[in-house]
Amino acid sequence: KAGVTQTPRYLIKTRGQQVTLSCSPISGHRSVSWYQQTPGQGLQFLFEYFSETQRNKGNFPGRFSGRQFSNSRSEMNVSTLELGDSALYLCASSLGPTTSYEQYFGPGTRLTVT
Amino acid sequence: TQLLEQSPQFLSIQEGENLTVYCNSSSVFSSLQWYRQEPGEGPVLLVTVVTGGEVKKLKRLTFQFGDARKDSSLHITAAQPGDTGLYLCAGLSLSGNTPLVFGKGTRLSVIA
């Protein structure tokens, strides 16, 4: 089975711009979660989508949004970029709400805001 | 807010040495996962422990879940350079809006 893919892998944006990141989950996985990883804060949960519905949301401002399509692919959008948004954005897929909730991560998108 | 504290934050050891990484919380988790992340890649799941007191072995890696399901440890025997990476523990929350809570990680460097 192909793993989780994320595009683009690297992105450089300017403050105030917006960005859209894409994630394709493992075939058969219906849950997609997004995380922000920074050296100081570690891995922080952004949101989770299951069957096109947002199930959970982390403590991030409304500038961060996402959606999931009927084929389980997901996108996340960050509007009005700030310098502090520079991070590695990771997408993870799983079968869905199960006892173990094991996550399969993509390689991430490295976003740099200048 | 549930937190997972990992220690140590950084660890640099010689090949062949043993080491233990700890993951502690004041909260109870329904299960706990360990991941390893290498530079330029996403975390890769190593193991999931579900039952309090459970011990799982993966070759030279031994994982233990505390009896009260609030803490966990990862022990590596005879470390090798290929063990180098960022080790993350993650607890599955029983409630709250964040189903999986991650620790900040232990960065391990094994020197040949």
Side-chain angles (χ1 to χ4, degrees):
Chain A
K1 263 186 188 177
V4 177
T5 58
Q6 292 187 245
T7 56
R9 290 293 309 276
Y10 303 91
L11 208 46
I12 299 175
K13 289 286 187 178
T14 305
R15 267 182 306 175
Q17 288 185 315
Q18 74 163 15
V19 67
T20 299
L21 311 181
S22 182
C23 171
S24 293
I26 290 172
S27 177
H29 284 191
R30 294 166 61 193
S31 172
V32 173
S33 298
W34 289 89
Y35 298 86
Q36 181 194 67
Q37 187 176 33
T38 58
Q41 297 300 317
L43 261 168
Q44 292 186 287
F45 173 76
L46 282 158
F47 28 66
E48 180 206 1
Y49 287 87
F50 178 73
S51 294
E52 301 179 66
T53 302
Q54 188 178 84
R55 278 192 73 237
N56 292 291
K57 189 178 191 305
N59 296 322
F60 278 82
R63 300 184 297 107
F64 291 82
S65 63
R67 59 178 176 168
Q68 187 179 34
F69 302 96
S70 58
N71 61 358
S72 294
R73 192 177 68 84
S74 177
E75 289 181 347
M76 69 161 279
N77 184 275
V78 188
S79 63
T80 319
L81 284 166
E82 300 177 0
L83 294 178
D85 297 333
S86 293
L88 181 67
Y89 289 88
L90 290 161
C91 161
S93 74
S94 68
L95 289 170
T98 63
T99 304
S100 60
Y101 218 84
E102 294 172 345
Q103 306 277 287
Y104 294 84
F105 284 87
T109 294
R110 172 76 60 188
L111 172 64
T112 302
V113 182
T114 62
Chain B
T1 304
Q2 294 179 298
L3 292 174
L4 273 169
E5 302 284 343
Q6 284 190 244
S7 62
Q9 283 187 315
F10 301 95
L11 195 53
S12 181
I13 61 171
Q14 296 291 323
E15 182 177 4
E17 292 184 357
N18 301 332
L19 67 115
T20 302
V21 174
Y22 299 94
C23 177
N24 295 299
S25 176
S26 58
S27 303
V28 177
F29 293 97
S30 64
S31 65
L32 202 131
Q33 302 168 12
W34 284 92
Y35 293 81
R36 179 170 67 209
Q37 183 178 20
E38 299 185 26
E41 299 180 10
V44 175
L45 178 68
L46 296 173
V47 78
T48 300
V49 284
V50 179
T51 307
E54 181 177 4
V55 177
K56 277 193 176 177
K57 293 193 175 184
L58 191 66
K59 296 184 181 178
R60 295 175 293 99
L61 279 59
T62 301
F63 304 86
Q64 185 164 8
F65 201 11
D67 290 341
R69 292 187 290 145
K70 293 182 179 181
D71 55 84
S72 180
S73 64
L74 158 59
H75 182 80
I76 301 179
T77 303
Q80 299 177 0
D83 296 327
T84 293
L86 178 67
Y87 288 82
L88 296 159
C89 64
L92 183 58
S93 172
L94 295 173
S95 61
N97 67 341
T98 305
L100 208 57
V101 177
F102 278 84
K104 290 189 177 181
T106 293
R107 190 165 297 280
L108 171 66
S109 177
V110 182
I111 303 163

